[in-house]
Amino acid sequence: MSLNYPLSIKGVVFHERRVLLLLNERDEWDLPGGRPDPGEDHRAALIREVREETGLAVEVGALVDEHLFEVLPQRFVHIVAYACKLAAEGTIALSHEHQEAAWFEVSALGERVAGRVLPAGYLGAIRQAACQPLSP
């Protein structure tokens, strides 16, 4: 996969057999995560990003997916997704980056969830993560 695209590390966060989705400014479901700082380990970046976006602490498990995501026409981001689980129960404290957060049963997910788009790459990552052990 080309390194010419911006990198975004995403977490497929599970709790009680449900996965966390965040609603972004494009009115699409998103996985928590973001760009690593220069030299920052992917797992450390993901732990930091999930805490910043949701206030939740996670344990990062297996790498489950890598794909290019066309965020806007002709604007791509290199997505690297890891299976995660909550490190401790907590209340979601949503950052300014997202409008909503919700937990969904994996079996209920499709191209549209609660009337909004769930990008195909994220759906694939969620399905892959659902089959993986979650321990780091």
Side-chain angles (χ1 to χ4, degrees), residues 10 21 33 39 51 65-66 77 79 82 96 99 103 105-106:
K10 297 289 186 174
L21 296 178
R51 185 176 299 278
D65 183 63
E66 282 193 63
V77 175
I79 302 293
Y82 290 86
H96 69 280
Q99 286 73 51
W103 294 96
E105 296 283 339
V106 174

Side-chain angles (χ1 to χ4, degrees), residues 37-100:
D37 291 333
E40 187 178 27
D41 173 79
H42 286 184
R43 285 177 164 80
L46 187 53
I47 289 167
R48 176 183 53 75
E49 284 285 341
V50 171
R51 185 176 299 278
E52 287 174 3
E53 292 181 357
T54 68
L56 300 173
V58 296
E59 294 178 22
V60 180
L63 171 68
V64 293
D65 183 63
E66 282 193 63
H67 66 276
L68 283 181
F69 176 43
E70 191 171 11
V71 180
L72 297 169
Q74 299 301 307
R75 187 166 165 222
F76 294 89
V77 175
H78 176 189
I79 302 293
V80 177
Y82 290 86
C84 299
K85 66 179 178 180
L86 286 186
E89 294 215 23
T91 303
I92 294 173
L94 208 55
S95 77
H96 69 280
E97 295 178 55
H98 296 95
Q99 286 73 51
E100 186 180 326

Side-chain angles (χ1 to χ4, degrees), residues 12-61:
V12 182
V13 180
F14 288 101
H15 180 62
E16 296 178 351
R17 292 187 257 168
R18 295 176 299 151
V19 66
L20 179 63
L21 296 178
L22 307 177
L23 192 64
N24 64 27
E25 72 281 352
R26 295 183 309 278
D27 204 36
E28 294 177 346
W29 291 111
D30 196 359
L31 295 171
R35 294 186 180 166
D37 291 333
E40 187 178 27
D41 173 79
H42 286 184
R43 285 177 164 80
L46 187 53
I47 289 167
R48 176 183 53 75
E49 284 285 341
V50 171
R51 185 176 299 278
E52 287 174 3
E53 292 181 357
T54 68
L56 300 173
V58 296
E59 294 178 22
V60 180

Side-chain angles (χ1 to χ4, degrees), residues 1-7 68 76 78:
M1 187 150 312
S2 174
L3 300 176
N4 296 332
Y5 298 103
L7 176 65
L68 283 181
F76 294 89
H78 176 189

